Amino acid sequence: MGLDLGGRAPGFLSGGGDMGERIRAHDWAATPLGEPDTWPQPLRAALSLCLKSNFPTAIYWGEDFCLLYNDAWSPIPGDRHPAALGRSAIEVWSDIWAVVGPQLTRVMKSGEGFSAVDQMLPMVRNGAPQETYWNYSFTPICADDGTVLGVFNQGHETTQEVLARAQTQSEIKRLGSMFARAPTAAAILRGPSHRIEVVNPAFTELVGKSDLEGQTVVEAFPELVAQGFLDLLDEVFLTGRAHVGREVEVMFGGPSNGQRHRIVDFVYQPLADPGGVREGVFIQATDVTDAVRVEAALRESEAKYEAIVNSIDQMIWSTLPNGDHDYFNSRWYDFTGVAQGDTDGAGWKVMFHPDDQERARETWMHSVRTGEPYHIEYRLRHHTGRYRWVVGRAHCVRGSDGSITRWFGTCTDINDLKEAEAKRQLLLREMDHRIKNLFTVAGGMISMTAQTAPSVPAMATSLRGRLRALAKAHDLIRSAVGGEAGSGQPTSLRTLIHDILQPHLGEGSEKRVSLNGPPIPLGEDAAVGFALIFHELATNAMKYGALGKADGLLAVTWTSNGDRLELSWAEQSSDRMMTPPLQTGFGSELAQATATDQLGGTISFEWRPTGVVVGLTARLENLQQ
């Protein structure tokens, strides 16, 4: 029987909202507690507090832990409410009793309170066990003589907070791992004093210092103040505008602890909280010292090459594998008097004497087809308008696969020798005709003259050696600027493309990029290969294509077809007309080699007016490497 609510409910049962009404209407006579007017004073006081509290509160009373609770606590048992009212907690919390039972029993026996923070309770919800987390306290309810009669319980669920913290820690750990493994130097500075919060190993290696965390930039790098880097950091922090430096010289350390001169590309990127309040500066730097020095050495070498080939009397030229000329030294232009570029490609043929053109063409094309050395004498038009005799020689250079990659040749003016030879032949005939009796003496004179005069083969041998030396030097220079990709990390194709595109995307730019395709895992080597290709495509898209325009769109789609991956990189921009490049750069050659040699596939470029479409294929088995 419930209580008569006609104004006769005890005061400790007044109020309490829905649970107050349920408690007053409950048939307590059928429970071990009996009618409320027989309840002891400690229970009455505790229940009064419980019903008037807006914090989740419950009471476990007696040896059976009979359960009473308020409105704020009623969502905790879920679908066990309201049947849990007046029942033993041993029945109500059978799924978590292994955890909370001993805790409640200890409070009842010891008379000392108990509290738990983020306690995991394997609670059954919607018919399935779930990990739930709780902050709660158990406080003993005592009689006047100190006997513990029940337990006062308050608490709330923290499952979402615990899971969110766990996810955050996992993400922090993942980002920390990526940060530590980043090949470029990176650091995070906090506050207007630019206190170093974290640096990665590449940053430590770049600056040549360790134990930097916790120091300000001025404390860790006093030498940077006079070089202007602190002023740049202040400007970025105050204005919120990033600063980009290219091939900037920086000196780390000082005379007392050793100076370290480096050349770096770097970015100072401001950091702000979600409200836009600036918190610090992110530093990313790449050591380009070696690359700059190699480039300087290459320029010096090219200058020396030009100085050498222009300091000799021979005309030096080179051609593409198909025989079209693409280089002449200054001696060629001095001799012919034509403007630079007029004889590139096949234009050089018009410089031949009409009677020599067909013979020279046939000889040259035979060499181009077979790779045999080119050697011919012909008449070449001089800047005076006269034709002079020259000897033309050329040898091919072959690549690692044996195919011809270039021809190098020379033209040597032998007109004076030809005229001298003609005069000598005339003299010999005259001597033979008129002075028969002096033949022996004349023959000796001719033999002596021939021995003292330089021969054409000797000249050709000397020049051939020089050309070979130059060709070898060119090969060494080319090898010196090459490089090898380092080992990568296994990832997925979608993640790899996203990470490579991310630095090129400003705020809101993600809406202009779509990535669509099935999950494709990548092994370490395959990830490195794809990274090289997509980095080249992303860089070109930023400089020349869709990512560099506000309305530009990029769609990357891929499918697995049999044993191959088929991928499309399609750019679209309304106000930028795309045209094919005039020549293939290093990055494109590297992408082509990676796609064919490493990934066992192909790469193609379709140049449309609205943007480039790149087609890429790869063998699926190669992606696991």
Side-chain angles (χ1 to χ4, degrees):
M1 292 291 293
L3 290 176
D4 182 357
L5 300 181
R8 298 197 300 276
F12 69 90
L13 287 180
S14 62
D18 178 67
M19 285 308 300
E21 293 181 6
R22 290 182 181 276
I23 291 174
R24 289 188 290 272
H26 194 75
D27 185 9
W28 293 107
T31 70
L33 289 181
E35 294 292 349
D37 56 4
T38 66
W39 292 353
Q41 181 58 33
L43 175 57
R44 296 183 177 203
L47 183 57
S48 178
L49 287 174
C50 173
L51 292 177
K52 291 178 173 55
S53 175
N54 59 7
F55 195 78
T57 305
I59 296 172
Y60 297 92
W61 190 260
E63 296 180 354
D64 292 333
F65 301 104
C66 186
L67 186 57
L68 301 98
Y69 52 92
N70 64 4
D71 283 349
W73 197 88
S74 62
I76 292 177
D79 55 7
R80 301 172 228 210
H81 168 75
L85 180 64
R87 292 176 58 197
S88 169
I90 301 174
E91 299 176 6
V92 174
W93 294 128
S94 59
D95 49 350
I96 63 172
W97 193 250
V99 178
V100 300
Q103 297 170 351
L104 288 166
T105 301
R106 185 164 63 249
V107 173
M108 290 287 288
K109 291 182 176 180
S110 66
E112 297 179 356
F114 171 82
S115 64
V117 177
D118 294 333
Q119 172 72 58
M120 197 284 284
L121 298 178
M123 191 176 295
V124 175
R125 286 178 169 172
N126 299 321
Q130 299 179 8
E131 283 191 7
T132 64
Y133 295 86
W134 302 83
N135 289 350
Y136 58 88
S137 65
F138 292 150
T139 303
I141 303 174
C142 300
D144 292 340
D145 61 358
T147 302
V148 178
L149 303 176
V151 177
F152 193 80
N153 166 223
Q154 288 187 309
H156 64 279
E157 185 172 3
T158 61
T159 302
Q160 295 300 323
E161 292 87 343
V162 171
L163 295 181
R165 286 198 300 270
Q167 184 177 3
T168 300
Q169 291 300 319
S170 176
E171 183 67 11
I172 291 174
K173 184 178 180 180
R174 186 183 70 85
L175 293 176
S177 177
M178 293 175 58
F179 187 81
R181 296 178 181 178
T184 57
I188 296 177
L189 312 181
R190 292 293 182 185
S193 64
H194 313 301
R195 190 167 299 279
I196 302 171
E197 182 176 274
V198 62
V199 299
N200 69 347
F203 187 91
T204 301
E205 181 179 357
L206 171 65
V207 303
K209 297 180 180 181
S210 57
D211 300 326
L212 299 171
E213 287 87 348
Q215 301 184 64
T216 65
V217 169
V218 173
E219 294 169 345
F221 305 103
E223 67 274 13
L224 298 184
V225 176
Q227 299 177 59
F229 292 99
L230 184 62
D231 292 337
L232 287 177
L233 284 172
D234 289 340
E235 181 180 353
V236 171
F237 184 84
L238 292 174
T239 65
R241 294 191 297 268
H243 177 85
V244 179
R246 300 295 186 195
E247 296 184 8
V248 179
E249 296 189 18
V250 57
M251 185 72 70
F252 296 106
S256 61
N257 55 3
Q259 292 182 324
R260 180 180 176 85
H261 175 262
R262 309 307 294 167
I263 303 174
V264 298
D265 291 344
F266 70 92
V267 176
Y268 287 165
Q269 182 68 44
L271 299 176
D273 64 13
V277 178
R278 284 184 287 280
E279 295 182 330
V281 177
F282 175 73
I283 298 177
Q284 185 176 23
T286 302
D287 189 344
V288 296
T289 306
D290 293 340
V292 170
R293 290 173 179 172
V294 168
E295 185 178 354
L298 181 60
R299 287 196 296 266
E300 181 181 358
S301 177
E302 291 175 345
K304 289 181 179 178
Y305 171 82
E306 289 293 332
I308 291 173
V309 298
N310 290 322
S311 66
I312 59 180
D313 292 334
Q314 280 71 29
M315 291 169 274
I316 298 177
W317 46 268
S318 68
T319 79
L320 302 174
N322 66 356
D324 287 345
H325 287 68
D326 63 351
Y327 173 79
F328 295 93
N329 71 343
S330 60
R331 291 294 173 265
W332 168 268
Y333 297 107
D334 293 341
F335 182 94
T336 62
V338 300
Q340 289 194 10
D342 283 357
T343 51
D344 289 352
W348 62 280
K349 297 177 182 178
V350 300
M351 305 304 298
F352 286 74
H353 191 285
D355 295 341
D356 298 336
Q357 287 186 13
E358 186 61 25
R359 178 175 58 88
R361 187 192 69 82
E362 291 180 356
T363 304
W364 174 234
M365 295 312 299
H366 174 76
S367 294
V368 170
R369 287 192 304 268
T370 64
E372 295 179 5
Y374 176 67
H375 184 192
I376 190 173
E377 294 181 2
Y378 49 79
R379 285 161 290 183
L380 196 64
R381 190 174 66 197
H382 192 254
H383 66 84
T384 60
R386 298 173 55 222
Y387 286 94
R388 294 179 63 87
W389 281 97
V390 299
V391 58
R393 296 178 182 273
H395 284 265
C396 67
V397 176
R398 297 182 182 272
S400 59
D401 60 353
S403 63
I404 296 175
T405 60
R406 184 160 288 279
W407 286 86
F408 289 97
T410 62
C411 295
T412 304
D413 187 345
I414 59 171
N415 197 73
D416 292 342
L417 290 176
K418 280 281 190 179
E419 291 181 354
E421 179 65 18
K423 291 179 181 179
R424 187 172 67 172
Q425 291 297 328
L426 178 62
L427 176 61
L428 287 173
R429 288 195 298 270
E430 289 295 324
M431 290 176 65
D432 183 61
H433 178 68
R434 297 179 182 276
I435 319 176
K436 293 289 186 179
N437 61 337
L438 294 179
F439 178 81
T440 302
V441 176
M445 293 177 62
I446 294 172
S447 176
M448 182 177 298
T449 301
Q451 292 176 4
T452 58
S455 67
V456 172
M459 294 171 59
T461 300
S462 175
L463 190 56
R464 186 184 306 117
R466 180 173 293 125
L467 285 174
R468 286 177 176 173
L470 291 174
K472 183 177 180 180
H474 179 75
D475 287 341
L476 291 174
I477 293 170
R478 184 173 58 188
S479 299
V481 298
E484 296 181 357
S487 63
Q489 295 297 322
T491 184
S492 72
L493 180 62
R494 180 185 295 273
T495 299
L496 180 67
I497 299 174
H498 175 270
D499 290 347
I500 289 177
L501 287 175
Q502 194 62 33
H504 301 289
L505 301 177
E507 183 176 354
S509 297
E510 295 85 351
K511 298 179 180 178
R512 299 191 288 110
V513 176
S514 63
L515 306 178
N516 292 298
I520 301 292
L522 301 178
E524 294 185 358
D525 292 344
V528 171
F530 273 117
L532 293 174
I533 294 175
F534 291 127
H535 179 269
E536 176 67 16
L537 295 178
T539 302
N540 289 338
M542 175 57 69
K543 293 191 295 185
Y544 314 114
L547 295 184
K549 302 298 292 183
D551 68 339
L553 300 176
L554 171 62
V556 185
T557 58
W558 62 89
T559 59
S560 56
N561 187 3
D563 62 345
R564 303 188 72 78
L565 169 73
E566 297 180 352
L567 181 143
S568 171
W569 172 292
E571 299 180 29
Q572 183 175 348
S573 179
S574 62
D575 62 344
R576 177 173 290 183
M577 296 293 291
M578 297 295 294
T579 57
L582 298 178
Q583 59 184 8
T584 302
F586 174 76
S588 297
E589 292 179 357
L590 181 60
Q592 183 72 46
T594 301
T596 56
D597 299 341
Q598 182 176 345
L599 302 177
T602 61
I603 187 170
S604 62
F605 297 82
E606 179 182 353
W607 299 94
R608 300 176 180 176
T610 57
V612 65
V613 176
V614 182
L616 176 65
T617 67
R619 292 181 60 84
L620 290 177
E621 63 180 16
N622 288 29
L623 305 188
Q624 307 305 316
Q625 298 175 0

